[in-house]
Amino acid sequence: MRTIERDVVIVGGGPSGVTLASLLAGYGVSTLVIDREHEVLDEPRAVGIDDEAVRTMQSFGMAEAVLEDAVRNAPIRYYDSRMRILAHVAPSGRPFGWPKRNLFFQPTLERVLRAGLEKQKDVELRTGCTAVELKQDDAGVVIVVEEEGERYAIRAQYAVGADGGRSFVRQAAGVALQGETAPMKWLVVDVEDDTWDAPYSAVFTTPERPSMTIPLPFGHRRFEFKILDGEDPDAMAEPATVERLMRPFYPDSPVPPAIRRRIYWHHSRTAETFQAGRVFLVGDAAHLQPPFFGQGMNSGIRDVTNLAWKLGFVLTGQADTGLLATYDSERRETAREMVDFATGIGRLYHPRSRLTETVRNAVFRGVQRLPGGRDYILQMKYKPVPRYRDGFVVLPTDTDKGSLAGRAFPQPFVQQLDGSRVRLDEVLGSSLAVVGLAQGVLEALEPLVAERLRTHGGIVVQSHVMPAYRRAGQFDPAARGDADLPVIDVYDFDGGLRDLHLARPRDDVYVVRPDRYVAAVCSLDELNRVLDRLLELVALPADVTLGPSASAE
């Protein structure tokens, strides 16, 4: 049996798998993606992509291409059983540099991402290729695959399961799912040639039959209807029943043709671990959640954004293998929190009685009357914000709930010294970045700490006020000299970094990871101590105990 060797093999060529491969390409990691399907499935499964996921696409140059065919900043309206609007959600802020809620057609998204992957070096996608066996040892992972009647082996240092809810990789690695599958079922219908002029998502929360509708690009629209107790799911998916359910939405025009009718169980399950030796799980292979909040695919993109830089650092010698253990410690709990949140949202959609609905409605309207309550709903501030507490992060010693340590760093526009204006991530690149909001970060660094930071690929990004407002002589780029540690000076073009510092004046320096999460926050006086402690986490060797080699036929 012939053997192909790569640094990383990814099983599953959906959005999570292809995104991970694109991110790894930025580190020069040789990667092979395999997918059992020959072509992209021509049906819209996921339909929403958030600003965090688009920000990840930005890191390999595909954000604009992904959004080109999306409905951007799509609002949501929640109705009660009397068709009164409970809440209108229309997020307009862009803290991470992109629209918060965007609706897309998944087949188009997957083709766009695969086209971008073809331009990357050291990355290959093989379709019509099915994994049939997985084994691992102290040196790597071997996956046996079948492709066009031939069996061959792929040997890699690490393997990633991005192969969906019925993941072969998860089962072969011996990882169990924890949680439950809800007894409720929903009918999902996708139509084409839609004629209903409603450019917003609508959720109809009622004790009788909750339902929702979502406008999609290219004249498509999604409908979802709850299957009630005692109803035959197969009968509910019949064309005549589907047309009856959709008729109220099209009283004066023909019901558009359905291109997909499926019955779905709603799962709320999380893998017991996201890492088994040299095998990692991402996306639906690691966690399954109801679709009520549209975070299934987005959670998968958060997984690969977290994992990619750690694999990249380890495989290029910028970090020791102990860093990889932080993937599970960071992502598993935050993914479970999102699963629980989506499950709770689903309960709000279906009040048990008119009395329950009345109480819920009163709570909804009461929240919006509180100071800041309307903005809380309008700007989707109720969405859980992941915070990493146990991993590659140094949290404040006090209980500072407002600290950005462990949370995503904002992405304002900045101006470079040549006058070009870019989003901050374009400056940060794929490095561990020490971002200074107060002046004097480079000067505050002790030589040994600066050298350690350089060894791990670190950079310093120093923010300055715009030239029109700074005092003469405040900043002279020529004074940087020939420092071994890369220093990038930027002007705070739209004041985003200034406002962050004004809100928290003690936080002079932010250490931002390649996944744009904040590893540490400190004052200039604390900088060397905090960096010392943080860099120890990069250099720690792994203490990985592999279990018995997993295999599956």
Side-chain angles (χ1 to χ4, degrees):
M1 184 185 300
R2 69 186 179 97
T3 300
I4 297 174
E5 294 191 357
R6 295 290 190 274
D7 291 329
V8 177
V9 57
I10 301 170
V11 181
S16 293
V18 172
T19 296
L20 176 58
S22 296
L23 291 168
L24 291 174
Y27 294 95
V29 172
S30 65
T31 306
L32 177 60
V33 185
I34 63 171
D35 194 275
R36 65 182 180 181
E37 302 294 338
H38 287 277
E39 301 290 341
V40 170
L41 294 179
D42 198 24
E43 54 184 42
R45 287 155 287 163
V47 294
I49 184 168
D50 66 15
D51 50 348
E52 291 181 75
V54 175
R55 187 180 191 179
T56 293
M57 310 299 175
Q58 174 193 345
S59 63
F60 52 90
M62 295 300 291
E64 292 290 356
V66 165
L67 287 181
E68 184 175 351
D69 295 315
V71 180
R72 307 188 188 196
N73 264 343
I76 317 172
R77 291 181 180 177
Y78 293 89
Y79 294 89
D80 66 10
S81 58
R82 298 181 181 179
M83 291 302 293
R84 297 175 301 184
I85 295 179
L86 280 174
H88 178 78
V89 181
S92 58
R94 299 191 178 195
F96 300 137
W98 300 97
K100 285 187 175 181
R101 186 174 185 271
N102 311 283
L103 303 176
F104 67 96
F105 191 64
Q106 184 166 339
T108 301
L109 173 78
E110 292 197 30
R111 294 186 183 103
V112 167
L113 291 178
R114 289 187 178 190
L117 191 66
E118 293 176 356
K119 302 174 184 178
Q120 305 280 6
K121 295 181 179 179
D122 302 314
V123 178
E124 180 186 2
L125 169 65
R126 295 192 177 191
T127 57
C129 185
T130 303
V132 296
E133 184 178 344
L134 182 151
K135 296 180 179 179
Q136 61 173 314
D137 53 35
D138 291 341
V141 183
V142 174
I143 293 182
V144 177
V145 301
E146 285 187 355
E147 183 180 4
E148 296 182 352
E150 178 194 6
R151 280 199 175 197
Y152 59 91
I154 305 167
R155 182 165 185 88
Q157 294 190 54
Y158 300 99
V160 180
D163 50 342
R166 299 179 180 178
S167 170
F168 160 81
V169 173
R170 186 185 64 238
Q171 297 177 47
V175 178
L177 285 174
Q178 298 175 332
E180 62 181 15
T181 295
M184 68 177 67
K185 306 180 187 72
W186 283 66
L187 168 66
V188 176
V189 181
D190 292 315
V191 304
E192 59 183 354
D193 301 327
D194 179 45
T195 58
W196 186 25
D197 184 19
Y200 53 85
S201 298
V203 181
F204 304 95
T205 65
T206 167
E208 284 74 29
R209 187 190 301 278
S211 61
M212 65 187 76
T213 177
I214 304 168
L216 302 178
F218 316 119
H220 294 86
R221 180 177 285 274
R222 167 163 295 181
F223 290 89
E224 299 186 22
F225 304 94
K226 188 177 188 300
I227 306 299
L228 305 180
D229 294 341
E231 292 182 329
D232 179 2
D234 293 333
M236 294 300 294
E238 291 294 328
T241 307
V242 169
E243 182 164 357
R244 176 176 59 80
L245 291 172
M246 293 175 55
R247 170 53 58 193
F249 297 96
Y250 300 92
D252 302 318
S253 61
V255 173
I259 58 174
R260 178 172 174 252
R261 303 184 304 273
R262 294 282 179 86
I263 301 294
Y264 281 97
W265 293 77
H266 284 171
H267 302 278
S268 300
R269 311 185 75 186
T270 307
E272 61 184 354
T273 179
F274 286 13
Q275 178 186 5
R278 291 178 172 267
V279 176
F280 300 88
L281 303 175
V282 301
D284 286 354
H287 43 78
L288 296 164
Q289 62 181 275
F292 298 121
F293 200 58
Q295 285 295 304
M297 186 198 76
N298 293 296
S299 292
I301 300 301
R302 287 190 200 97
D303 293 340
V304 301
T305 308
N306 184 291
L307 179 60
W309 76 271
K310 296 171 181 177
L311 283 172
F313 269 40
V314 168
L315 288 168
T316 56
Q318 295 181 75
D320 216 323
T321 52
L323 180 64
L324 297 176
T326 65
Y327 169 64
D328 176 72
S329 64
E330 291 181 348
R331 282 301 306 150
R332 180 155 49 93
E333 187 56 35
T334 52
R336 181 182 288 113
E337 289 173 358
M338 189 63 77
V339 169
D340 292 344
F341 180 78
T343 304
I345 288 289
R347 296 192 185 101
L348 291 176
Y349 287 0
H350 193 186
R352 296 180 180 180
S353 64
R354 292 287 184 187
L355 177 60
T356 305
E357 180 185 22
T358 300
V359 173
R360 183 209 58 191
N361 291 359
V363 171
F364 253 84
R365 295 192 172 97
V367 167
Q368 295 179 71
R369 293 190 186 101
L370 295 174
R374 186 175 181 276
D375 190 60
Y376 180 80
I377 299 293
L378 190 69
Q379 298 300 328
M380 288 181 66
K381 294 182 180 180
Y382 51 84
K383 174 185 172 183
V385 178
R387 185 178 192 184
Y388 302 144
R389 297 178 174 86
D390 181 18
F392 186 72
V393 60
V394 175
L395 296 177
T397 54
D398 55 4
T399 56
D400 185 356
K401 294 183 179 180
S403 173
L404 280 184
R407 294 190 170 99
F409 195 64
Q411 185 183 198
F413 274 91
V414 295
Q415 181 170 303
Q416 301 182 100
L417 298 188
D418 62 4
S420 59
R421 293 168 181 171
V422 298
R423 293 179 175 88
L424 179 62
D425 289 2
E426 304 301 322
V427 176
L428 302 182
S430 58
S431 303
L432 185 65
V434 177
V435 181
L437 306 192
Q439 300 300 306
V441 172
L442 186 63
E443 293 77 9
L445 279 173
E446 295 176 356
L448 289 179
V449 176
E451 175 59 23
R452 288 184 66 196
L453 182 62
R454 186 194 63 79
T455 300
H456 295 294
I459 64 173
V460 171
V461 176
Q462 179 66 68
S463 171
H464 305 275
V465 296
M466 285 298 292
Y469 301 103
R470 67 181 174 90
R471 296 187 302 274
Q474 180 178 338
F475 165 54
D476 180 8
R480 292 296 184 201
D482 298 322
D484 290 334
L485 182 64
V487 180
I488 303 174
D489 294 287
V490 296
Y491 293 118
D492 185 17
F493 170 66
D494 62 4
L497 298 177
R498 172 206 64 206
D499 293 346
L500 182 60
H501 199 208
L502 286 174
R504 299 184 59 84
R506 293 185 304 168
D507 295 344
D508 298 326
V509 184
Y510 290 78
V511 184
V512 183
R513 311 176 341 172
D515 62 356
R516 313 313 180 202
Y517 276 72
V518 177
V521 184
C522 63
S523 65
L524 284 175
D525 293 338
E526 301 170 311
L527 179 57
N528 291 290
R529 179 183 60 81
V530 169
L531 272 180
D532 255 336
R533 183 178 171 193
L534 189 64
L535 294 176
E536 286 175 1
L537 300 176
V538 185
L540 285 176
D543 184 17
V544 177
T545 302
L546 293 177
S549 296
S551 65
E553 295 296 328

